[in-house]
Amino acid sequence: MTIEDVIKKSILPLAFMVFWFWMTKTIMKVSGQTDWFWWVFIAGLPFGIHKMRLILIPRGMDTTATLGMAALSVIIGALIASIMIPVYVIRAIYVFIRYVIGK
């Protein structure tokens, strides 16, 4: 394993996560307090949407059904992200530790 692999698989993803969580926490502050439900929901979107592998968009339905299914897809993506974020963190730490021990 090279240092490039460690940077691509460990350092950059963790740095992006820290930046993204900080940014969403700053945005979600209301009256000096963070709304944790919405923070988890918004913070998880980029990590869960692509894991769905399916976005539900009905054919032959009206606009409300299409928007409702798109909203359901976003909600499911955020729920999947609440499971995937710890997996990404554990994987990044594992790659970093494997590199340190391998040296």
Side-chain angles (χ1 to χ4, degrees):
M1 179 174 292
T2 65
I3 190 70
E4 293 173 0
D5 293 335
V6 173
I7 290 172
K8 287 179 189 175
K9 295 180 182 177
S10 180
I11 296 171
L12 286 179
L14 286 177
F16 173 73
M17 281 185 200
V18 167
F19 173 73
W20 182 253
F21 293 160
W22 169 78
M23 187 176 64
T24 55
K25 186 175 181 192
T26 305
I27 292 170
M28 295 310 298
K29 281 204 183 220
V30 178
S31 301
Q33 294 183 348
T34 303
D35 185 3
W36 292 105
F37 173 76
W38 286 106
W39 180 76
V40 169
F41 184 79
I42 300 225
L45 285 178
F47 304 104
I49 291 291
H50 72 281
K51 286 291 180 188
M52 282 182 53
R53 303 214 195 298
L54 171 69
I55 295 179
L56 306 169
I57 298 177
R59 274 198 314 186
M61 297 289 215
D62 58 348
T63 306
T64 14
T66 303
L67 289 176
M69 292 305 281
L72 179 65
S73 296
V74 169
I75 292 169
I76 292 172
L79 291 174
I80 291 172
S82 67
I83 297 168
M84 292 309 298
I85 289 171
V87 170
Y88 289 146
V89 170
I90 291 169
R91 184 179 69 186
I93 292 171
Y94 170 74
V95 167
F96 185 73
I97 290 174
R98 198 170 95 190
Y99 176 74
V100 170
I101 292 174
K103 272 283 188 181

